[in-house]
Amino acid sequence: MENKVAPGGVAHMQIGDKSVELPILKGSTGPDVVDIRKLYAEADVFTYDPGFTSTASCESQITYIDGDAGILLYRGYPIDELAENSSFLEVCYLLLHGELPTATQFAEFERTITYHTMLHEQFDRFFQTFRRDAHPMAIMVGAVGALSAFYHDSTNVHDEKQRQISAHRMIAKMPTIAARAFKYAVGQPFVYPRNELGYADNFLRMCFAVPAEDYKVNQVLAKAMDKIFILHADHEQNASTSTVRLAGSSGANPFACIAAGIACLWGPSHGGANEEALNMLKEIGTVDRIPEYVQGVKDRRYRLMGFGHRVYKNYDPRAKVMQKTCHEVLDALGKRDEPLLQVAMELERIALSDPYFVERKLYPNIDFYSGITLSAMGFPSEMFTVLFALARTVGWIAQWKEMIEDPSQKIGRPRQVYTGPVQRSFVPIDKR
Ligand code: CMC
């Protein structure tokens, strides 16, 4: 990656009797940043920013979010335009290479991904070692980490060709791994990928086909799946992406880094929220129970899952697309009267008008409608975060690749403000 950050002035900082000048840097859009790299050397202080609410950890040219305006761009293209007009594989190419592909480039990319979808046969036996009731995310963390043991020929991060092969392998194999995690949990035989099918069609078939009968992919569901993948493909420097970058900054192989990202994504404040949002809707159950539930949120007994976002202080643009997709899927499946949808719509209406949520800028996020949609498609809630991981893999890889190719890249090593005991002498156990 060519560094493009531009000079934009100087910030003055007074620390005790020391006066420090810090460069201000400009990106192509978004807030300027104060470059504090020399602060410790010049003023002997660190900055303190737990949760990184005011810290830019890297320069990136992949994804841009304006949380106040509710804007999300992949390489400059608005998410709703991509969801409406593009395909997940085209978006993968865009995220990895920076530009939309020409027809020839796309055909070649699609062929490469299609021909890497199979897993080593020995790898399939790896799944059998998990408990039969293992959470599919536990299987994902293990299985993706184990890829580095099978594809050692693409783990040299300093070799551009190997970086590319590992990227293609992960994008191609992730649906196969995710479908196997699902099949293993439901006790059905693994279904092999079919190369004549599209990415989303293939994934749905690997999840839902059984040897006892033919399976025809419902095109409304395949299109919805593809859109869901596009919406989740990347999201700037969120917790899991930052995990991938931090893991990768030590030179760790890409499979291990993506496994680290999956582990982080699993948390309920991040990718696990879609599972929690659906559980919440089920717990509420009926529209008449919403006021009581909302009161519990105001009493701070629990949070409204699927609402709020660290960056979006406006409607999550992904949630808008997701809401439409949700209605399309429920219509196609004849589930328009699904009670959970009624609860969701009423809850959304109340939250968007109730001062408690309005004042805190708590809008529905993508997870609010994705749970209902995926559930209607036949996925159990434990699979929701797996699908998120599948889709986010391309974003993680694009960000990892960008970091490796950034000339200013260093190993990630935050500092701390230490508040533990100061130096003291060891006391033998019989004297304590
Ligand atoms: N329900 C009720 N109150 C909330 C919620 C919520 N979901 N989220 C934030 N608040 C309140 C919070 O109590 C606080 O109120 P006060 O100022 O009175 O103390 C205020 O809003 C600010 O909250 P915060 O914790 O400082 O906000 P944050 O930016 O650190 O949290 C969040 C972001 C996503 C962790 C949080 O909104 C949350 O827990 N949401 C529910 C989980 C969820 O849906 N996560 C999915 C995020 S989208 C998928 C992804 O990108 O990973």
Side-chain angles (χ1 to χ4, degrees):
M1 172 183 109
E2 186 197 340
N3 291 127
K4 288 189 177 161
V5 75
V10 176
H12 299 273
M13 207 175 185
Q14 190 69 35
I15 299 159
D17 55 359
K18 276 189 199 146
S19 155
V20 189
E21 281 197 349
L22 298 167
I24 295 176
L25 303 176
K26 281 190 173 304
S28 47
T29 181
D32 295 347
V33 297
V34 180
D35 179 352
I36 57 162
R37 280 175 287 185
K38 292 203 179 111
L39 184 65
Y40 178 48
E42 292 188 4
D44 208 22
V45 292
F46 297 140
T47 54
Y48 180 59
D49 186 16
F52 306 117
T53 50
S54 298
T55 298
S57 59
C58 61
E59 176 183 339
S60 183
Q61 294 160 12
I62 302 174
T63 293
Y64 176 74
I65 302 174
D66 182 336
D68 293 327
I71 289 173
L72 167 62
L73 312 174
Y74 292 166
R75 302 282 191 185
Y77 296 103
I79 190 67
D80 50 330
E81 284 186 30
L82 290 171
E84 209 46 58
N85 306 307
S86 186
S87 69
F88 178 63
L89 273 192
E90 194 176 44
V91 167
C92 287
Y93 186 98
L94 173 71
L95 289 169
L96 286 173
H97 298 285
E99 294 297 336
L100 287 166
T102 62
T104 316
Q105 287 166 334
F106 183 69
E108 197 189 324
F109 183 70
E110 189 176 35
R111 191 178 175 283
T112 306
I113 299 300
T114 303
Y115 281 90
H116 276 104
T117 47
M118 282 189 56
L119 292 167
H120 193 290
E121 198 59 16
Q122 205 185 352
F123 196 90
D124 268 355
R125 293 207 287 279
F126 179 71
F127 292 95
Q128 317 297 339
T129 58
F130 285 92
R131 271 175 65 127
R132 56 187 269 211
D133 58 353
H135 194 291
M137 277 301 274
I139 299 182
M140 291 300 285
V141 175
V144 174
L147 283 176
S148 45
F150 281 81
Y151 301 104
H152 241 296
D153 60 339
S154 58
T155 52
N156 179 358
V157 302
H158 303 296
D159 179 335
E160 195 185 338
K161 189 89 196 127
Q162 291 197 29
R163 287 202 295 275
Q164 187 168 340
I165 294 172
S166 59
H168 291 161
R169 279 183 168 148
M170 273 187 277
I171 295 167
K173 294 183 198 308
M174 207 55 90
T176 318
I177 296 175
R180 271 152 174 62
F182 175 58
K183 284 297 201 191
Y184 187 67
V186 292
Q188 291 178 2
F190 293 159
V191 175
Y192 284 87
R194 302 274 327 178
N195 290 351
E196 77 275 15
L197 294 179
Y199 194 86
D201 300 57
N202 197 16
F203 174 64
L204 290 175
R205 188 179 165 279
M206 285 193 286
C207 286
F208 296 118
V210 287
E213 55 191 54
D214 289 337
Y215 178 80
K216 200 166 175 308
V217 183
N218 177 328
Q219 281 313 298
V220 177
L221 302 195
K223 220 167 168 352
M225 192 78 263
D226 202 65
K227 259 186 206 170
I228 292 172
F229 289 159
I230 293 175
L231 297 178
H232 287 87
D234 196 44
H235 210 229
E236 210 225 54
Q237 309 309 320
N238 55 81
S240 58
T241 302
S242 299
T243 302
V244 170
R245 278 186 178 256
L246 197 57
S249 75
S250 71
N253 75 69
F255 304 105
C257 297
I258 302 305
I262 295 173
C264 177
L265 184 75
W266 195 359
S269 296
H270 192 5
N274 46 18
E275 191 174 339
E276 298 293 328
L278 187 75
N279 291 341
M280 177 192 74
L281 294 176
K282 283 184 184 158
E283 196 187 323
I284 299 173
T286 48
V287 169
D288 58 300
R289 292 198 54 218
I290 294 177
E292 178 196 335
Y293 195 87
V294 167
Q295 192 53 50
V297 174
K298 291 181 183 173
D299 295 342
R300 292 172 182 271
R301 280 187 273 132
Y302 38 75
R303 285 190 166 199
L304 209 48
M305 299 311 284
F307 279 78
H309 199 274
R310 171 59 63 79
V311 181
Y312 294 118
K313 301 302 172 195
N314 197 324
Y315 213 103
D316 177 345
R318 303 168 302 171
K320 277 190 193 151
V321 181
M322 199 60 243
Q323 189 199 44
K324 188 164 166 256
T325 305
C326 178
H327 286 285
E328 283 163 8
V329 166
L330 295 180
D331 281 347
L333 296 172
K335 293 184 177 175
R336 199 44 141 118
D337 297 329
E338 183 81 24
L340 290 188
L341 182 67
Q342 308 305 323
V343 175
M345 288 193 323
E346 180 60 9
L347 192 59
E348 182 183 18
R349 191 192 64 74
I350 291 177
L352 290 178
S353 54
D354 187 311
Y356 182 90
F357 300 97
V358 173
E359 277 161 21
R360 288 170 179 77
K361 301 188 176 172
L362 296 172
Y363 292 88
N365 59 48
I366 184 168
D367 292 325
F368 187 60
Y369 276 104
S370 66
I372 310 172
T373 315
L374 294 171
S375 168
M377 287 167 82
F379 289 105
S381 56
E382 303 83 57
M383 274 299 286
F384 297 173
T385 320
V386 172
L387 301 177
F388 190 161
L390 187 174
R392 183 57 57 84
T393 295
V394 64
W396 288 329
I397 299 173
Q399 301 267 354
W400 168 82
K401 204 167 144 296
E402 184 181 66
M403 178 203 62
I404 300 282
E405 291 165 10
D406 182 344
S408 66
Q409 187 262 328
K410 274 175 178 292
I411 185 167
R413 178 59 172 92
R415 303 307 298 261
Q416 62 176 9
V417 47
Y418 179 70
T419 54
V422 294
Q423 188 168 338
R424 48 185 170 163
S425 291
F426 178 77
V427 181
I429 195 160
D430 57 335
K431 302 247 162 55
R432 281 175 228 159

